Amino acid sequence: MLRALIFDVDGTLAETEDLHRQAFNQAFAEMALPWSWDSAFYADLLAVMGGKERLAHYVETRHAGDLPALRPRLAEIHDRKTRIYGELVEDGRLGLRPGIARLVAEARAAGLRLAVASTTSRPNVEALLRMNFPRGDVPFDVIACGDEAARKKPAPDVFELALARLGVDASEAIAFEDSVAGIRSALDAGLPVIATRSRYTGTHRLDGAFSAVSDLGEPDAPHTLLSGTAWPGHVVTLAGLRAWQDTREAEA
């Protein structure tokens, strides 16, 4: 029985990654740091999961000689970036990806539990949800963030945390991801995964997902199937997810 849906944030709920890049660059400028990350370089940096870890990796590999002086500033740089990112989101520059609001509404109306499992920090998640689910009507029962887990993705910790807080078994939930590391994290937590292709994961192999699609789709804007399970009308719906779950249980 399908009881819960668990969503990654960056690249899955919304195309957040380039806004994160812009926020990092603005923080660097405000703090008089002569750094600038273009899209291609940031795509490479995304192999490191978590903004704090990404920043530390950059300094350690590109500015190792300055590391003793820069290390005490890393938390301040990241805090500045997080504030700027929140301001950019609240300026209305980030909407949800196709099909997200619709599927979340379907699941909520049917009484399913909903969770976020993300390596990003909680203020980033809350800013995105606050702007896209106004009037305090945030539909997620659980928010599990990277800072609350012992290990970042591709380790399964944040998905295991979400499952524990939801009070459901992995066999009763489906995860939504967009990256190699995210898929691995969800699979190792025992979750079946639907993968969507995002701007910064265009070259990622989405192996392990039982269905890979361009996005969740809308009735008037169907998605493109990339691999695996196909969906009626090229739209991922709650009815379709339940039908897949019933078939899976019947074959088990």
Side-chain angles (χ1 to χ4, degrees):
M1 180 179 179
L2 184 60
R3 296 179 58 199
L5 305 180
I6 306 176
F7 294 86
D8 170 54
V9 175
D10 294 324
T12 301
L13 283 187
E15 288 279 14
T16 58
E17 294 293 10
D18 204 61
L19 215 61
H20 283 297
R21 181 185 68 85
Q22 294 172 42
F24 269 118
N25 285 341
Q26 187 173 330
F28 300 155
E30 290 182 4
M31 300 181 70
L33 293 165
W35 308 337
S36 182
W37 296 348
D38 64 21
S39 297
F41 182 66
Y42 193 63
D44 292 337
L45 280 178
L46 288 174
V48 180
M49 302 302 292
K52 293 175 184 176
E53 291 79 6
R54 199 167 298 137
L55 177 62
H57 171 81
Y58 170 72
V59 172
E60 289 165 2
T61 57
R62 294 301 182 106
H63 301 280
D66 299 324
L67 186 57
L70 288 170
R71 192 184 298 279
R73 302 185 66 191
L74 293 182
E76 181 187 0
I77 296 168
H78 190 265
D79 287 347
R80 179 81 61 100
K81 174 263 172 182
T82 298
R83 176 183 58 76
I84 293 167
Y85 175 83
E87 292 171 352
L88 293 174
V89 171
E90 296 199 11
D91 283 343
R93 299 176 62 180
L94 204 60
L96 300 175
R97 293 194 67 197
I100 292 291
R102 172 190 50 76
L103 182 59
V104 165
E106 291 176 12
R108 192 180 191 193
L112 269 68
R113 292 175 62 74
L114 297 164
V116 160
S118 175
T119 56
T120 197
S121 59
R122 181 173 286 269
N124 292 338
V125 176
E126 291 176 342
L128 177 67
L129 298 182
R130 185 166 58 249
M131 292 306 299
N132 284 283
F133 299 99
R135 299 180 299 279
D137 193 30
V138 175
F140 293 92
D141 303 286
V142 165
I143 296 175
C145 295
D147 289 348
E148 302 170 315
R151 299 173 297 171
K152 298 290 177 76
K153 299 175 185 178
D157 300 37
V158 74
F159 278 109
E160 291 174 345
L161 179 62
L163 287 167
R165 289 178 176 175
L166 287 168
V168 303
D169 187 80
S171 65
E172 301 172 316
I174 293 174
F176 295 79
E177 268 288 354
D178 77 304
S179 69
V180 169
I183 293 170
R184 183 75 268 151
S185 175
L187 290 175
D188 285 355
L191 288 157
V193 186
I194 295 178
T196 57
R197 180 78 78 197
S198 67
R199 171 178 176 177
Y200 275 96
T201 60
T203 62
H204 284 213
R205 293 180 61 88
L206 302 178
D207 298 345
F210 72 86
S211 180
V213 291
S214 58
D215 52 66
L216 298 184
E218 298 286 10
D220 60 349
H223 63 227
T224 299
L225 177 67
L226 304 177
S227 64
T229 297
W231 304 93
H234 292 271
V235 178
V236 178
T237 64
L238 180 58
L241 295 175
R242 282 176 159 166
W244 177 84
Q245 181 82 338
D246 289 344
T247 300
R248 180 190 185 210
E249 291 176 355
E251 292 175 348

